[in-house]
Amino acid sequence: MSTVVLDNVTKVYPGGYLAVDRMNLRADDGELLVLLGPSGCGKSTLLRMIAGLEEITGGDLWLGGKIANHLAPRDRDVAMVFQNGALYPHRTVRGNLSFPLEIAKADPAVVKERVIELSKALHIDETLDRRPGTLSGGQRQRVAMGRAIVRQPSLFLMDEPLSNLDAGMRTELRMEISSLVRALGVTTIYVTHDQVEALTLADRIAIMNRGVLQDIGTPAQVYNDPATAFTAAFLSSQQLNLLAATVRTPQNQFILLDFGTHQITMPWTDPRAYAVSQHTGSQIIVGIRPDALAPMPEKMDGPSFMGRVRTLEYHGHEWLAYVEAGIPAVAVPEPPDPRTRNGFAHGVNGNGVGKARSMMRRLLGPPAEFAEGESAPGAMATALGSGSHRRADLIVRLGSRPVWKAGEHARVAVDVSRLMLFTQSGARIDPPRR
Ligand SMILES: Nc1ncnc2c1ncn2[C@@H]1O[C@H](COP(=O)(O)OP(=O)(O)OP(=O)(O)O)[C@@H](O)[C@H]1O
Ligand SMILES: [Mg+2]
């Protein structure tokens, strides 16, 4: 059994910097859990606390059903791979791979066999007699990974092991990591800030921001039904459309999402209808992925936006259109910064922008509702501390053919079932489902 449970785990660095705030998380036996989040959000700190390389300030860490807060790293049966997997430069690849087993005084015949087997699985069997200095970056990371798993630890921790490799090598090694750790059945916690890596590798993804857990679920859950606007935006490979709308329920017949220049109707049959209707008269944030928008076929009716195509962008596998529709856009609401809580001073590492934003938010207070026709959505974005108070373009995925031309008027079909609805502070409008 090698489950990992974090119960309110917190890290405050000397000097008072709060890097991880009351994290509750569980990795099941044999699970590949990916920790995803922007740079500086506390991913490495969390991983290092699990490995025993960093002291836990508050809360409990459970490994295999036992409290492990004060266990020495070597007693945790954990192996870790870093971004720059350091190897022993004077030992060959074979020597690097066999070292952990030699220390554990394993039978030399077993060591020999295990090293050959593992080197084949990692496609480095032809480099066994070479020194690390003569290897490519990808080969070195394979050796580092091999050295970590050769002992068959009960927990495998990887901190951005692929981030120094080129795109092709990353994809190749990503697939190999996935099949290797699944074949071994070792519980793995894998840290990355790359959303594609997270979506393709994970059994479940835990998304962090500013030391706080934002969302956790399978890749499909967190992608399709994100708990916060931050998660929605962070998981979008293309820019997410985040629009301001006021909820109206005319004569209680249906729900109207009023974007000022445009209205979209949401039927009462929509599973979120009741939750949304609770916001009648208030402003909410509507997130729309570019692939939930499409050119509206002629003579067809249905929920749509009208606009002028400003520009088209070719991405190889698809075209994107930027459509001016006069709809107010908002910036991703930043979750409250736990570091501004009473009792937590900013360390020297404090993020100046975040600090300024949260201060602004506190000064401005919650964004006020706006009257019809006013440009208040802009004010909302300002209040949220954003730089974008413009009526931003709608980004529409066109597929493999650029069906529109720049400058022409276009009707954009909206897939209402795929609208993501958030409160002004960025929380999903929906009863929690997990
Ligand atoms: N020893 C330390 N003392 C004080 N602050 C630290 C220390 N180590 C890390 N921090 C700060 O804690 C925060 C979280 O750091 P961490 O390395 O965990 O982030 P990360 O999510 O791994 O980022 P990245 O993706 O850039 O690796 C950062 O603001 C960092 O500057
Ligand atoms: Mg890190």
Side-chain angles (χ1 to χ4, degrees), residues 176-349:
E176 282 171 21
I177 289 177
S178 168
S179 52
L180 194 71
V181 299
R182 287 192 166 90
L184 292 169
V186 180
T187 311
T188 303
I189 304 184
Y190 184 105
V191 160
T192 180
H193 60 252
D194 178 335
Q195 87 275 20
V196 176
E197 214 167 279
L199 289 168
T200 51
L201 261 180
D203 290 324
R204 282 188 312 150
I205 305 178
I207 296 142
M208 290 176 72
N209 192 25
R210 294 179 164 180
V212 177
L213 182 67
Q214 296 281 308
D215 200 0
I216 181 161
T218 64
Q221 280 171 339
V222 293
Y223 187 82
N224 294 319
D225 191 19
T228 64
F230 172 84
T231 311
F234 200 77
L235 283 174
S236 293
S237 43
Q238 302 140 345
Q239 202 185 323
L240 179 71
N241 296 297
L242 274 183
L243 313 173
T246 302
V247 178
R248 307 194 188 285
T249 40
Q251 281 103 46
N252 261 347
Q253 282 177 355
F254 49 81
I255 293 165
L256 203 64
L257 299 175
D258 187 353
F259 295 90
T261 50
H262 292 79
Q263 284 82 31
I264 297 279
T265 311
M266 173 179 266
W268 278 110
T269 49
D270 190 293
R272 298 162 300 179
Y274 178 73
V276 181
S277 72
Q278 300 299 299
H279 294 263
T280 299
S282 302
Q283 200 177 65
I284 63 166
I285 298 176
V286 180
I288 316 179
R289 291 226 161 77
D291 54 335
L293 296 173
M296 185 95 166
E298 256 178 64
K299 297 193 190 109
M300 209 143 107
D301 235 5
S304 61
F305 294 128
M306 283 293 291
R308 197 182 66 86
V309 181
R310 196 169 59 81
T311 182
L312 296 164
E313 210 174 66
Y314 183 53
H315 285 250
H317 63 298
E318 66 183 11
W319 286 85
L320 294 181
Y322 290 74
V323 178
E324 291 168 341
I327 297 173
V330 293
V332 182
E334 293 269 5
D337 189 342
R339 286 145 207 168
T340 58
R341 253 192 3 240
N342 285 346
F344 280 112
H346 287 279
V348 281
N349 293 310

Side-chain angles (χ1 to χ4, degrees), residues 13-14 17 19 38-45 160 193 349:
Y13 278 112
Y17 191 80
S39 184
C41 74
K43 307 179 294 293
S44 297
T45 302
E160 315 224 22
H193 60 252
N349 293 310

Side-chain angles (χ1 to χ4, degrees), residues 5-53:
V5 176
L6 305 183
D7 180 9
N8 273 317
V9 167
T10 297
K11 176 69 187 182
V12 183
Y13 278 112
Y17 191 80
L18 177 61
V20 174
D21 188 23
R22 292 166 296 174
M23 183 67 74
N24 291 303
L25 203 63
R26 178 192 171 87
D28 287 318
D29 197 24
E31 183 175 30
L32 202 175
L33 180 73
V34 172
L35 278 182
L36 175 70
S39 184
C41 74
K43 307 179 294 293
S44 297
T45 302
L46 193 62
L47 212 61
R48 290 170 59 80
M49 285 193 285
I50 299 171
L53 303 174

